[in-house]
């Protein structure tokens, strides 16, 4: 430090801002808004550990629409984001109108399982 440097306590303040949260400290959840099919309208939150979707008794996201298979699809968080996977359903899984076996979901996507249509949105919440 130079010899002529003087410290002024009144000017030595630092504005404190909370550091942004680390992505690893955020909880990622999916929000499905059912817009068509039996049971619409409704909103369903999908946690990162995922859900089994179908008409069967073991489905965490239970749909009553007869066009939905007993074990229709699984939605779960992967390193790439929320992933939907068709479990061999009779009427398929459609993402934005295109039939898929598995695909990463993005906010704003339309997800169709049989005759049931969802709008997909991802949220990040403090852990």
């Amino acid at each position: 430090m130079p010899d002529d440097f003087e410290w002024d306590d009144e000017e030595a303040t630092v504005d404190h801002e909370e550091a942004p949260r680390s992505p690893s400290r955020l909880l990622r959840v999916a929000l499905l808004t059912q817009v068509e099919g039996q049971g619409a309208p409704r909103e369903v939150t999908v946690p990162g550990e995922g859900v089994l979707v179908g008409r069967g008794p073991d489905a965490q996201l239970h749909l009553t629409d007869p066009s939905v298979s007993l074990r229709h699809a699984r939605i779960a968080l992967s390193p790439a984001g929320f992933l939907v996977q068709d479990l061999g359903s009779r009427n398929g899984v459609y993402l934005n109108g295109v039939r898929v076996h598995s695909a990463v979901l993005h906010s704003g996507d339309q997800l169709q399982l049989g005759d049931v249509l969802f709008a997909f949105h991802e949220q990040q919440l403090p852990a």
Side-chain angles (χ1 to χ4, degrees), residues 30-102:
L31 179 65
L32 293 172
T33 303
Q34 184 179 347
V35 294
E36 291 181 13
Q38 285 186 358
R42 70 173 170 159
E43 288 189 344
V44 180
T45 301
V46 178
E49 61 271 12
V51 294
L52 172 65
V53 184
R55 283 186 302 115
D58 58 339
Q60 292 96 14
L61 175 46
H62 189 261
L63 301 174
T64 58
D65 195 293
S67 67
V68 174
S69 297
L70 295 175
R71 295 175 50 89
H72 200 103
R74 175 144 183 83
I75 300 172
L77 186 59
S78 74
F82 278 93
L83 180 75
V84 62
Q85 184 173 25
D86 190 337
L87 299 177
S89 66
R90 180 183 67 233
N91 292 319
V93 172
Y94 291 81
L95 180 60
N96 300 320
V98 177
R99 190 168 185 163
V100 296
H101 175 69
S102 66

